[in-house]
Protein backbone atom coordinates (compact mmCIF):
# COMPACT_ATOMS: atom_id res chain seq x y z
CA UNK A 1 0.00 0.00 0.00
CA UNK A 2 1.43 3.36 -1.03
CA UNK A 3 -0.41 5.52 1.52
CA UNK A 4 0.91 9.09 1.29
CA UNK A 5 3.65 9.72 -1.25
CA UNK A 6 5.68 12.92 -1.45
CA UNK A 7 7.92 14.01 -4.28
CA UNK A 8 10.69 15.01 -4.43
CA UNK A 9 12.54 13.65 -1.40
CA UNK A 10 15.29 16.26 -1.51
CA UNK A 11 15.69 19.61 -3.22
CA UNK A 12 18.14 22.49 -3.14
CA UNK A 13 16.98 25.89 -4.36
CA UNK A 14 18.60 29.26 -4.70
CA UNK A 15 16.92 32.29 -3.17
CA UNK A 16 14.18 33.53 -5.45
CA UNK A 17 13.61 30.26 -7.30
CA UNK A 18 10.24 28.56 -7.33
CA UNK A 19 9.16 24.97 -6.94
CA UNK A 20 6.17 22.73 -6.31
CA UNK A 21 6.00 19.84 -3.86
CA UNK A 22 3.57 17.09 -4.74
CA UNK A 23 1.61 14.98 -2.29
CA UNK A 24 -0.51 12.04 -3.40
CA UNK A 25 -2.68 9.75 -1.27
CA UNK A 26 -4.48 6.61 -2.31
CA UNK A 27 -6.72 6.18 0.74
CA UNK A 28 -9.63 8.32 -0.46
CA UNK A 29 -9.08 10.73 2.43
CA UNK A 30 -10.98 13.99 2.47
CA UNK A 31 -8.54 15.99 4.57
CA UNK A 32 -4.98 16.83 3.55
CA UNK A 33 -2.34 18.93 5.25
CA UNK A 34 1.08 20.45 4.71
CA UNK A 35 3.37 20.82 7.72
CA UNK A 36 6.92 22.01 8.14
CA UNK A 37 9.24 20.55 10.74
CA UNK A 38 12.04 22.62 12.19
CA UNK A 39 14.40 21.71 15.06
CA UNK A 40 12.92 22.48 18.46
CA UNK A 41 9.62 23.65 17.00
CA UNK A 42 7.73 20.47 16.29
CA UNK A 43 5.33 20.50 13.36
CA UNK A 44 3.66 23.68 12.19
CA UNK A 45 0.68 23.68 9.86
CA UNK A 46 1.17 25.62 6.62
CA UNK A 47 -2.08 25.00 4.73
CA UNK A 48 -4.77 22.39 4.74
CA UNK A 49 -7.73 21.18 2.69
CA UNK A 50 -11.03 19.69 3.81
CA UNK A 51 -11.95 18.41 0.37
CA UNK A 52 -11.36 18.64 -3.36
CA UNK A 53 -11.29 22.25 -4.52
CA UNK A 54 -10.91 23.71 -1.02
CA UNK A 55 -7.88 25.11 0.77
CA UNK A 56 -7.32 27.12 3.94
CA UNK A 57 -4.45 28.77 5.78
CA UNK A 58 -2.75 27.21 8.75
CA UNK A 59 -0.38 28.64 11.31
CA UNK A 60 2.48 29.65 8.96
CA UNK A 61 1.05 30.23 5.43
CA UNK A 62 3.14 33.20 4.28
CA UNK A 63 5.31 32.49 1.25
CA UNK A 64 3.39 29.34 0.28
CA UNK A 65 0.43 28.53 -1.93
CA UNK A 66 -1.51 25.30 -2.33
CA UNK A 67 -3.98 23.67 -4.65
CA UNK A 68 -6.29 20.65 -4.39
CA UNK A 69 -7.63 20.16 -7.90
CA UNK A 70 -8.04 16.41 -7.41
CA UNK A 71 -9.04 14.67 -4.21
CA UNK A 72 -5.92 12.53 -4.14
CA UNK A 73 -3.39 15.31 -4.73
CA UNK A 74 -2.33 18.31 -2.67
CA UNK A 75 0.34 20.61 -4.09
CA UNK A 76 2.49 23.04 -2.13
CA UNK A 77 4.13 25.87 -4.05
CA UNK A 78 6.92 28.24 -3.20
CA UNK A 79 6.85 31.18 -5.61
CA UNK A 80 10.07 32.87 -4.48
CA UNK A 81 12.09 30.73 -2.09
CA UNK A 82 13.83 32.26 0.91
CA UNK A 83 16.46 30.77 3.26
CA UNK A 84 13.86 30.85 6.06
CA UNK A 85 11.96 28.18 4.11
CA UNK A 86 14.75 25.68 4.59
CA UNK A 87 12.96 22.88 6.39
CA UNK A 88 11.55 19.39 6.17
CA UNK A 89 8.05 19.40 4.70
CA UNK A 90 5.50 16.74 5.53
CA UNK A 91 2.21 16.04 3.86
CA UNK A 92 -0.50 14.24 5.80
CA UNK A 93 -4.03 13.06 5.20
CA UNK A 94 -6.95 11.86 7.26
CA UNK A 95 -10.34 10.31 6.61
CA UNK A 96 -12.36 12.66 8.78
CA UNK A 97 -11.43 15.69 10.82
CA UNK A 98 -10.46 13.97 14.08
CA UNK A 99 -9.14 10.68 12.78
CA UNK A 100 -5.39 10.02 12.96
CA UNK A 101 -3.10 11.58 10.41
CA UNK A 102 -1.20 9.52 7.85
CA UNK A 103 2.12 11.10 6.93
CA UNK A 104 4.39 10.96 3.94
CA UNK A 105 8.13 10.51 4.36
CA UNK A 106 8.93 14.16 3.91
CA UNK A 107 10.78 16.48 1.56
CA UNK A 108 14.01 18.03 2.75
CA UNK A 109 14.33 21.48 1.19
CA UNK A 110 17.41 23.66 1.42
CA UNK A 111 17.35 27.25 0.18
CA UNK A 112 20.74 28.88 -0.26
CA UNK B 1 -5.01 28.82 23.48
CA UNK B 2 -4.84 25.14 22.67
CA UNK B 3 -1.40 23.59 22.99
CA UNK B 4 0.68 20.57 23.90
CA UNK B 5 3.76 20.59 26.10
CA UNK B 6 5.99 17.59 26.22
CA UNK B 7 9.13 16.65 28.00
CA UNK B 8 12.27 17.92 26.37
CA UNK B 9 14.96 15.51 25.38
CA UNK B 10 17.09 13.98 24.39
CA UNK B 11 16.46 10.93 26.53
CA UNK B 12 19.02 8.12 26.66
CA UNK B 13 18.15 4.80 28.28
CA UNK B 14 19.69 1.39 28.55
CA UNK B 15 17.89 -1.53 27.01
CA UNK B 16 15.12 -2.93 29.24
CA UNK B 17 14.81 0.31 31.22
CA UNK B 18 11.44 1.88 32.01
CA UNK B 19 10.37 4.80 29.83
CA UNK B 20 8.16 7.76 30.65
CA UNK B 21 7.73 10.75 28.36
CA UNK B 22 5.53 13.43 29.88
CA UNK B 23 2.87 15.25 27.92
CA UNK B 24 0.37 17.82 29.14
CA UNK B 25 -2.19 19.72 27.15
CA UNK B 26 -4.38 22.80 27.16
CA UNK B 27 -7.62 22.63 25.23
CA UNK B 28 -10.87 24.55 25.13
CA UNK B 29 -12.92 21.60 23.90
CA UNK B 30 -12.79 17.83 24.29
CA UNK B 31 -9.75 16.70 22.38
CA UNK B 32 -8.57 13.36 21.17
CA UNK B 33 -4.98 12.67 22.18
CA UNK B 34 -2.30 10.92 20.16
CA UNK B 35 1.27 9.75 20.33
CA UNK B 36 3.18 9.61 17.06
CA UNK B 37 6.63 8.13 16.47
CA UNK B 38 9.16 9.23 13.87
CA UNK B 39 12.01 6.95 12.89
CA UNK B 40 15.06 8.47 11.18
CA UNK B 41 14.36 9.60 7.64
CA UNK B 42 10.66 8.80 7.83
CA UNK B 43 7.38 10.54 8.42
CA UNK B 44 5.40 10.34 11.63
CA UNK B 45 3.43 7.19 12.34
CA UNK B 46 0.54 6.85 14.75
CA UNK B 47 1.65 4.93 17.84
CA UNK B 48 -1.52 5.09 19.94
CA UNK B 49 -4.54 7.26 20.66
CA UNK B 50 -7.28 7.94 23.18
CA UNK B 51 -10.49 9.74 22.42
CA UNK B 52 -11.99 10.47 25.83
CA UNK B 53 -11.12 10.82 29.49
CA UNK B 54 -9.81 7.67 31.25
CA UNK B 55 -9.25 5.88 27.93
CA UNK B 56 -5.98 4.00 27.69
CA UNK B 57 -4.25 3.74 24.34
CA UNK B 58 -1.73 0.95 23.81
CA UNK B 59 0.44 -0.44 21.04
CA UNK B 60 3.77 -2.30 20.78
CA UNK B 61 4.16 -2.30 24.58
CA UNK B 62 3.60 1.46 24.86
CA UNK B 63 0.71 2.83 26.90
CA UNK B 64 -0.79 6.22 27.66
CA UNK B 65 -3.87 7.13 29.70
CA UNK B 66 -6.02 10.19 29.01
CA UNK B 67 -6.13 12.02 32.36
CA UNK B 68 -8.56 14.90 32.25
CA UNK B 69 -8.03 15.89 35.89
CA UNK B 70 -4.31 16.48 35.28
CA UNK B 71 -4.65 17.29 31.55
CA UNK B 72 -1.96 14.73 30.80
CA UNK B 73 -1.24 11.89 28.40
CA UNK B 74 2.11 10.49 29.48
CA UNK B 75 3.73 7.78 27.35
CA UNK B 76 5.14 4.73 29.16
CA UNK B 77 6.84 1.48 28.29
CA UNK B 78 8.03 -1.06 30.78
CA UNK B 79 11.09 -2.34 28.94
CA UNK B 80 12.53 -0.41 26.01
CA UNK B 81 14.46 -1.95 23.14
CA UNK B 82 17.12 -0.54 20.84
CA UNK B 83 14.52 -0.54 18.07
CA UNK B 84 12.44 1.99 20.06
CA UNK B 85 15.03 4.69 19.36
CA UNK B 86 13.08 7.44 17.62
CA UNK B 87 11.45 10.83 18.15
CA UNK B 88 8.08 10.76 19.92
CA UNK B 89 5.43 13.44 19.44
CA UNK B 90 2.40 14.07 21.58
CA UNK B 91 -0.55 15.64 19.77
CA UNK B 92 -4.13 16.68 20.31
CA UNK B 93 -6.95 16.89 17.83
CA UNK B 94 -10.01 19.06 18.32
CA UNK B 95 -12.21 17.54 15.66
CA UNK B 96 -12.13 20.29 13.08
CA UNK B 97 -10.16 20.38 9.86
CA UNK B 98 -7.11 22.28 10.99
CA UNK B 99 -6.99 21.72 14.68
CA UNK B 100 -4.17 19.32 15.39
CA UNK B 101 -1.53 20.56 17.81
CA UNK B 102 1.83 18.85 18.16
CA UNK B 103 4.42 18.95 20.89
CA UNK B 104 8.02 19.69 19.97
CA UNK B 105 9.06 16.02 20.07
CA UNK B 106 11.24 13.99 22.42
CA UNK B 107 14.22 12.14 21.05
CA UNK B 108 14.81 8.73 22.61
CA UNK B 109 18.00 6.72 22.21
CA UNK B 110 18.19 3.23 23.66
CA UNK B 111 21.66 1.77 24.09
CA UNK B 112 22.41 -1.95 24.33
Amino acid sequence: NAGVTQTPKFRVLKTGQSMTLLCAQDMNHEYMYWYRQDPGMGLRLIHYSVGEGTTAKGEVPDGYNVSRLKKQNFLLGLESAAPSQTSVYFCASSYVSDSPLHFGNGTRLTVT
Amino acid sequence: GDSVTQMEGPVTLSEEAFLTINCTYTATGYPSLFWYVQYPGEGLQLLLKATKADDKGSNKGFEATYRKETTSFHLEKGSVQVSDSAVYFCALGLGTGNQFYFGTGTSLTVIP
Side-chain angles (χ1 to χ4, degrees):
Chain A
N1 292 332
V4 178
T5 303
Q6 291 183 233
T7 53
K9 289 183 170 55
F10 302 94
R11 186 72 186 268
V12 178
L13 290 179
K14 294 184 178 179
T15 298
Q17 289 184 319
S18 64
M19 76 164 294
T20 300
L21 282 66
L22 172 64
C23 177
Q25 53 95 2
D26 62 359
M27 297 171 285
N28 202 35
H29 285 172
E30 289 291 336
Y31 293 77
M32 296 187 75
Y33 308 81
W34 278 107
Y35 288 90
R36 59 178 289 172
Q37 183 181 32
D38 301 292
M41 302 190 74
L43 277 77
R44 292 183 291 169
L45 182 64
I46 305 170
H47 287 279
Y48 66 100
S49 168
V50 301
E52 180 179 319
T54 74
T55 63
K57 293 180 180 180
E59 180 186 357
V60 289
D62 293 343
Y64 305 95
N65 56 76
V66 287
S67 64
R68 184 104 181 264
L69 298 180
K70 294 183 179 181
K71 186 177 183 179
Q72 64 267 35
N73 295 336
F74 195 31
L75 279 63
L76 177 71
L78 287 72
E79 291 185 349
S80 179
S84 61
Q85 294 177 304
T86 294
S87 187
V88 180
Y89 292 85
F90 286 100
C91 177
S93 69
S94 65
Y95 180 58
V96 293
S97 61
D98 59 352
S99 58
L101 298 173
H102 295 255
F103 284 85
N105 283 339
T107 295
R108 183 174 294 276
L109 174 66
T110 302
V111 183
T112 62
Chain B
D2 304 303
S3 66
V4 172
T5 302
Q6 69 179 96
M7 169 178 162
E8 290 195 18
V11 174
T12 302
L13 294 174
S14 297
E15 205 166 22
E16 300 184 0
F18 184 85
L19 169 70
T20 299
I21 301 178
N22 291 337
C23 172
T24 58
Y25 68 90
T26 302
T28 52
Y30 300 93
S32 295
L33 299 174
F34 307 87
W35 276 101
Y36 287 85
V37 59
Q38 184 180 31
Y39 298 103
E42 298 183 7
L44 281 70
Q45 304 172 23
L46 178 68
L47 180 59
L48 53 84
K49 68 174 183 177
T51 58
K52 61 183 187 297
D54 299 325
D55 271 2
K56 178 185 283 188
S58 61
N59 186 25
K60 298 181 181 180
F62 291 90
E63 293 183 339
T65 301
Y66 189 140
R67 303 279 188 203
K68 189 177 180 182
E69 63 277 13
T70 55
T71 62
S72 65
F73 193 55
H74 304 323
L75 182 68
E76 296 181 336
K77 186 174 185 182
S79 176
V80 293
Q81 305 300 312
V82 172
S83 57
D84 294 327
S85 298
V87 181
Y88 293 83
F89 291 88
C90 184
L92 69 83
L94 287 171
T96 60
N98 65 323
Q99 291 187 334
F100 281 97
Y101 296 89
F102 286 85
T104 54
T106 301
S107 175
L108 170 67
T109 300
V110 180
I111 56 178

